[in-house]
Amino acid sequence: VDIKENSDAEMNLLFELLKKMIYIAMVEDEISKHYDQDRRKFYSSIHLYSGQEAIAVGVCNNLKPNDIIFSNHRNHGHYLAKGGNLETMILELYGSVAGCCRGKGGSMHLCDMKAGVAPSSGIVAGNVSIATGYALANKIKGNKNLVCVFLGDGATEEGSVYESICYAKVRNIPILYVVENNLYAIHTPLKVREPFRYVSEKFSSIIQTMVVDGNNVEEINQVAAEAVRDIGVRGGPYMLECITYRMRAHHGTGNGIDDARTQEEWDIWSKRDPINLTREKLIQHNKGYITKIEDFKSHLSVYLQGVFKFAENSLLPSEEELLTDI
Ligand SMILES: Cc1ncc(C[n+]2csc(CCOP(=O)(O)OP(=O)(O)O)c2C)c(N)n1
Ligand SMILES: [Mg+2]
């Protein structure tokens, strides 16, 4: 028995991580429910994070408030894990003038600079070079703020990612590249796109890379801590590749089972759901966690009902407002 692994302090930390994962999952479920009820109320397409929660939570647990994240089209989980404001996020999804982009961005363009969430972009890999430049600016200014950018396996195939990574190496730029390898870019499986098992192999001769189980929040938390420490010591870039699976369709709702993603594959990954795995580990340690988890979920559910109700009845931008800040 690994005493350290089963200590109460370790388990309390795990419980905190679990709560954040449940928070993200419940927000995504609620969005999905409302989207199915009336998608005309949403002014953009949605790309849900369900199944990948451990990555945002494990990584962001190692970031300070002044550290900044750059996200992509699948940004809800990143935004929430970094502490982005839930109300302004949901208002944004409903196109409200009180949303984080005053209703002009929608789901793919969330931002909350107070929480260290830079404006997200739906241009695949577009965030990588911007984040690298931001990290270079931090280095030149001499502050110790870290930049972390999330990108998908598909995004690693964009030329600008090679350019950014080479440049980050040459200039020794302090940046954490977090690759969420969910094995697909829309409907195209990784195995028909690349000869590599891990997409970070393409970069391992250039920068420090590490592959981790993207459904194990404890492991991600530990490896992200090492990566952040390593960037602090060397000053230079680091790539963390997390192997995972999205439990929903590429965009919109549903489970995303199609010609490429079979029911069998989905079932295998569903048994490896990061939230269930963490929940089981906690309960095995102490049955008291069953009620703690249920209490957390029921309080959160009440809060979420209020947030969505408020957002559904919120004001859209006026014609005049629509033409500002664009
Ligand atoms: C430059 C650009 N090319 C294509 C698209 C269309 N597109 C949107 S998401 C996506 C796949 C992204 O796959 P991946 O990076 O693996 O992220 P995932 O959706 O799996 O999280 C594509 C091709 C786009 N938005 N931007
Ligand atoms: Mg992908």
Side-chain angles (χ1 to χ4, degrees), residues 48-52 74 153 180-193 215 244-270:
L48 299 177
Y49 197 60
S50 316
Q52 303 185 199
R74 206 171 296 291
D153 49 291
E180 298 185 86
N181 182 355
N182 59 13
L183 314 175
Y184 289 86
I186 313 189
H187 302 292
T188 315
L190 181 61
K191 57 178 186 277
V192 305
R193 303 185 338 244
N215 285 23
T244 187
Y245 197 74
R246 82 179 132 67
M247 296 313 291
R248 291 189 187 270
H250 169 70
H251 67 90
T253 60
N255 58 13
I257 290 170
D258 54 29
D259 290 347
R261 287 177 27 124
T262 61
Q263 181 75 52
E264 288 98 307
E265 186 181 81
W266 193 94
D267 289 344
I268 292 169
W269 281 95
S270 131

Side-chain angles (χ1 to χ4, degrees), residues 9-48:
E10 287 263 329
M11 291 298 115
N12 284 339
L13 167 66
L14 197 55
F15 183 46
E16 291 308 309
L17 298 176
L18 175 67
K19 283 194 284 188
K20 286 186 192 159
M21 291 197 291
I22 292 175
Y23 172 49
I24 294 170
M26 283 179 67
V27 169
E28 295 295 57
D29 285 350
E30 203 61 29
I31 293 171
S32 162
K33 194 178 88 192
H34 288 266
Y35 192 83
D36 281 342
Q37 275 165 10
D38 188 359
R39 68 182 53 184
R40 285 166 308 175
K41 287 192 173 166
F42 290 78
Y43 287 87
S44 60
S45 168
I46 52 167
H47 301 77
L48 299 177

